Amino acid sequence: MPDEYQNHKHYQNLEKVLEYLPWYIEEYIDDKRRRLSAATLMNYANDYKIFLEWTLNEGLHEGTPADVPLSFLESLTVRQVERFLSYLKFEIGNKEVTINRKLSALKSLFYYLQNIAEHRDLTPYIRRNVMAKVELNDLRESMETTAAKMEGKILFGDDYEAFRTFVAEGYGARIRANSKAYRFYQLNRERDAALVALVLGSGLRLSEVVNLNIEDVDFERYYVRVMRKGNKEQYVYCSKQAMTFLKTYVDIRKEKYEVSARQNALFVSAKMGPNQTMRRLTARAVEKMIEKYAAAFGKPNLSIHKLRHSFATKYHGAINDVPKLRQQLGHSSIQTTMIYTHIQNDELKQAVDRMDMPIDAGEEGR
């Protein structure tokens, strides 16, 4: 289940950001608390802070972000908003997908101010919504194109098992000469191998993996209990091999990491810092871990998300059941899952290859 401590920290940081923002944004955030995660609300608040600070730096309004009135939002022009989006792209260096996320956050806020929030006299907070006139960047591309980009960055065939074995055993032989790195690897070898095996054997998201607790794993029925997007609880099945690696790690977890009875996180870090604190493994730590193994394995583009793609591709090739794969991955739309039907389209490849074959004399006369 999601780490309550982590959620508490997100809410603490959210409250600090809200101190710099106008009252109506705090009201909007309060309205969304029941439906959105603490991390998402924190992202929204930061996006609003960036936008309001930009308006002040541009001289569009004076004072602090908290001083920006509703009337100012109502008077913003499309040209001004487009200038902000250009600022995100050319001065901050945000990618198109990040710009879309920030613009979506603003669209959601302005929709709330125009269509949901009301003054005591039942009039809306704002009557004019400039964000409704600004379109998101079109990021659509064909599934075939997306699949083609993905193919060179995921595990196929023998590489699937080879990478799992490399993390469990091979990496140690590669770095044995570096005593410090070797000791660190020996400490975390079972944990790292279990985490990689779990993603390759279930397709879990990074956030779902780091939020797992010991009690979420059922070794007898081969599933883990996760909280998916939208705070939906789901039992996700794992391969027997993934569970074998997990069991090996769990058996040494308490003693090797000196885990206290209060710490129920499944994946934990080695003790760090002056206070020798042991804590839940963070998402960033997992990303860096995979980067390290991937580079040494010879696939530097491999990431934790690409391991999820690798599982999905292998699952589809073996089962060929898109609805079941959609449920396994926790996709809200089946269109998202359909991408895996376009990876390694062997039938299409074979049909094109046959075009280069000489025509049989018997067929030519038909």
Side-chain angles (χ1 to χ4, degrees), residues 267-280:
F267 293 109
V268 294
S269 69
K271 290 186 174 181
M272 297 182 297
N275 297 325
Q276 288 293 285
T277 305
M278 186 279 304
R279 64 193 67 176
R280 181 184 295 271

Side-chain angles (χ1 to χ4, degrees), residues 40 146 149 153 179 304 314 362:
T40 299
T146 304
K149 289 180 179 179
K153 301 176 182 179
S179 58
I304 187 73
K314 186 172 184 179

